[in-house]
Amino acid sequence: MSSAALSGLGSAALLLSAGMSFGTPVAVQVGGAAVVQRLNQVRLSGVTCPDSGVRPAVGVLRPSPLHAAAAFLQSKYLALSGEVSHLGRDGGTPQQRAAGLGLRAVSVTEIIYLAHSPDLESAVQWWLHSPVHCKIITDPRYSVAGGSVVQGRQGTAYVVVLSSAK
């Protein structure tokens, strides 16, 4: 996928009708850059995570169109299927999706949220109240990220793919 095509996935609204077997699949990408921006606010301020206590401020996540493309693959699947899973339509993991797009890093992970109302702050608060998701958001080894928000017939899916720089 060209870098021009990848950057177009970032925050532009796209009408999609990819060939997934869910009847007439239509999903609208409503952005993803705002998710990474909001996570950067959290990272810069530091937070208290359940089960791990105070997490100090850490550096910002560098936005990446490649990460956003990986996030988009999963957010589209979640919004169309209603599944809340890190496994994709083909059973692939976040690491496999990222690698399939050419993302090479030692550490790759994703955070997901699916709801029937498009509300970024609800997604962020859910992640911050989940011990594992809060630790991921505030983990200094993750320095690059891309987000995707897709509205589909099963809800609005928020997905962020995070990785180390290498």
Side-chain angles (χ1 to χ4, degrees), residues 11-125:
S11 61
L14 301 173
L15 185 61
L16 305 166
S17 58
M20 295 175 74
S21 56
F22 300 111
T24 308
V26 175
V28 178
Q29 180 162 327
V30 294
V35 182
V36 175
Q37 290 171 349
R38 180 65 182 101
L39 293 185
N40 279 335
Q41 291 172 345
V42 169
R43 288 171 64 94
L44 286 172
S45 65
V47 296
T48 300
C49 291
D51 296 341
S52 61
V54 175
R55 304 283 291 184
V58 294
V60 298
L61 298 163
R62 181 175 49 82
S64 161
L66 191 58
H67 289 66
F72 170 73
L73 292 174
Q74 190 65 0
S75 61
K76 182 176 70 169
Y77 171 64
L78 298 179
L80 292 174
S81 70
E83 294 289 324
V84 180
S85 173
H86 291 287
L87 296 179
R89 181 175 64 101
D90 63 356
T93 66
Q95 296 79 10
Q96 290 168 328
R97 282 189 296 281
L101 290 170
L103 195 157
R104 305 285 181 253
V106 173
S107 299
V108 177
T109 193
E110 77 179 3
I111 55 176
I112 63 174
Y113 178 80
L114 179 66
H116 288 287
S117 61
D119 179 6
L120 171 59
E121 195 56 31
S122 291
V124 172
Q125 290 305 312

